[in-house]
Amino acid sequence: MSTQPDLLYSEEEEALRAAVRDLLADHCDAPGVIARTESDAPHDLAAWKALSDGMGLAGLLVPEAQGGQGATHREVAVVLEELGRAVAPVPYLTSAVVATEALLGCETDGGLLAELASGRRIGALAVALNVAPGGAYKVVRQEGGALHGELTGIADASAADVLLVPADDGGLYAVDAGAVTVTPQTSLDLTRPVATVSLDGAPGRLLGDAEPAVRRALRAGSGLLASEQLGLAEWTLTETVRYLKDRKQFNRPVGGFQALKHRLAQLWLEVVNLRAAARNAADALASGVDVDVAVAVAQAYAAHVAVHAAEEAVQLHGGLGMTWEHPVHLYLKRAKADSIAYGTAGAHREALAELVDLAAP
């Protein structure tokens, strides 16, 4: 029996949004984020500490009995919307969602859940960022509890304290970051860097079966990524409208020209539709009803909208949008990187076709 999805925000969720937005205004202003991307330490660990330790947001998905907040994916989605609006360089999606969901899908977590929930440690699932839920992923060789191999495209690995590594024996192992070599890769999205993880006999602690844990983690990451893409698209649309009201040409606001009004109206419709898809995915993950369909629908739609919104923002900001000093390039890079994260839109359309028994062309 299916229940009606609730796409609206509750008062508590709006209060959470306001609190997160205030915090990010203090920690993740645009000049600060740009400066951080130019440094050797792209992650803002002060902002992460404020989110995780100060507000307890790293443990939203962790039950209270295991040291978390016992909230749902709906609250996490609100946090991710705000992180997307700020392109905040924090490992929230990778640690508080993906790594946490992987641990929740294991037979034992060895106390890691409580540590991730408190923010004392940052976790990362050692599966390439582009792998879709249910997709094939690379594993390492396991010999006598020691792991050998190399994994590429691991998001936020440089910030992680513990890595969750799938091995060829079918197990998922917890490996301390100090026991592996993390080599940064060239990343388009400077606010969510990827890296190569090399394991040369690193000791691992078996947590459980990798396949169901990885599938669960990637499904949650994919579904909630749509909320980040929503926040990103909303910011770019809002900033573009604001700029076009202020920018004057021929002694009148540029936003008054009908051709631009039409483009902005079309973009607004796309963003509103994305909000519905993203909220539906978050609600489905929270309720457990029609999750695979809701996630596939959200990701089949989200990538195009986020990229389109960011591209329009760059173009409609004119020469200003082409500069490094204006933050809009960060949003375009995040949108492009998100468009292949946890599966492309095409991969999700194929998955959706199978789920609803609709033959793909």
Side-chain angles (χ1 to χ4, degrees):
M1 183 177 119
S2 70
T3 58
Q4 194 74 13
D6 180 7
L7 306 186
L8 302 178
Y9 298 97
S10 67
E11 287 185 16
E12 292 79 7
E13 287 164 357
E14 291 292 6
L16 174 62
R17 178 194 308 285
V20 175
R21 188 173 296 188
D22 285 348
L23 185 149
L24 293 175
D26 292 337
H27 285 276
C28 293
D29 63 307
V33 174
I34 292 172
R36 193 167 288 283
T37 63
E38 298 172 324
S39 72
D40 295 330
H43 293 98
D44 190 338
L45 296 182
W48 169 252
K49 182 175 175 59
L51 286 164
S52 57
D53 187 27
M55 296 183 69
L57 300 183
L60 287 179
L61 292 178
V62 179
E64 291 183 29
Q66 292 169 283
Q69 304 296 325
T72 73
H73 300 80
R74 292 175 58 91
E75 288 79 16
V76 173
V78 171
V79 175
L80 281 167
E81 284 180 33
E82 293 307 309
L83 293 176
R85 284 179 62 90
V87 283
V90 294
Y92 190 85
L93 181 65
T94 46
S95 182
V97 177
V98 176
T100 296
E101 284 277 2
L103 288 172
L104 288 168
C106 290
E107 289 83 4
T108 176
D109 66 88
L112 273 178
L113 269 174
E115 293 184 330
L116 262 59
S118 68
R120 291 195 302 273
R121 300 184 84 186
I122 296 170
L125 179 66
V127 171
L129 182 61
N130 66 310
V131 176
Y137 52 88
K138 192 175 178 182
V139 297
V140 298
R141 192 174 83 257
Q142 192 274 139
E143 287 181 8
L147 303 175
H148 305 262
E150 185 176 274
L151 301 165
T152 59
I154 311 303
D156 291 334
S158 58
D161 301 301
V162 60
L163 294 156
L164 309 180
V165 182
D168 57 0
D169 64 349
L172 187 68
Y173 290 82
V175 179
D176 286 335
V180 305
T181 302
V182 177
T183 307
Q185 295 177 250
T186 301
S187 303
L188 174 64
D189 179 7
L190 302 173
T191 60
R192 181 176 286 143
V194 295
T196 296
V197 175
S198 302
L199 302 97
D200 186 13
R205 187 170 76 254
L206 181 63
L207 299 169
D209 293 336
E211 198 278 329
V214 170
R215 178 184 288 269
R216 173 176 177 162
L218 295 184
R219 185 175 72 170
S222 180
L224 291 171
L225 177 66
S227 292
E228 176 184 292
Q229 290 165 304
L230 169 61
L232 185 156
E234 285 188 322
W235 184 91
T236 51
L237 174 59
T238 301
E239 281 299 300
T240 303
V241 170
R242 184 189 63 76
Y243 177 75
L244 293 181
K245 285 180 178 179
D246 293 340
R247 177 82 167 87
K248 288 187 170 58
Q249 199 171 51
F250 307 117
N251 206 31
R252 60 180 288 193
V254 174
F257 294 107
Q258 192 173 40
L260 298 189
K261 286 182 178 180
H262 286 174
R263 287 168 66 170
L264 293 170
Q266 175 60 37
L267 197 55
W268 181 83
L269 285 172
E270 291 178 11
V271 172
V272 169
N273 289 335
L274 173 54
R275 183 183 299 118
R279 290 302 293 166
N280 185 49
D283 188 67
L285 284 162
S287 65
V289 177
D290 292 333
V291 182
D292 291 331
V293 170
V295 168
V297 166
Q299 274 307 314
Y301 188 71
H304 162 74
V305 177
V307 172
H308 184 210
E311 287 176 342
E312 288 285 75
V314 170
Q315 189 173 45
L316 296 177
H317 273 81
L320 180 64
M322 302 295 175
T323 64
W324 185 264
E325 289 74 21
H326 195 281
V328 71
H329 66 92
L330 296 176
Y331 290 82
L332 179 57
K333 291 167 183 171
R334 172 68 71 89
K336 293 293 282 186
D338 281 357
S339 70
I340 61 168
Y342 307 118
T344 62
H348 286 284
R349 288 191 193 99
E350 288 183 18
L352 181 61
E354 290 185 20
L355 289 167
V356 298
D357 296 324
L358 182 66

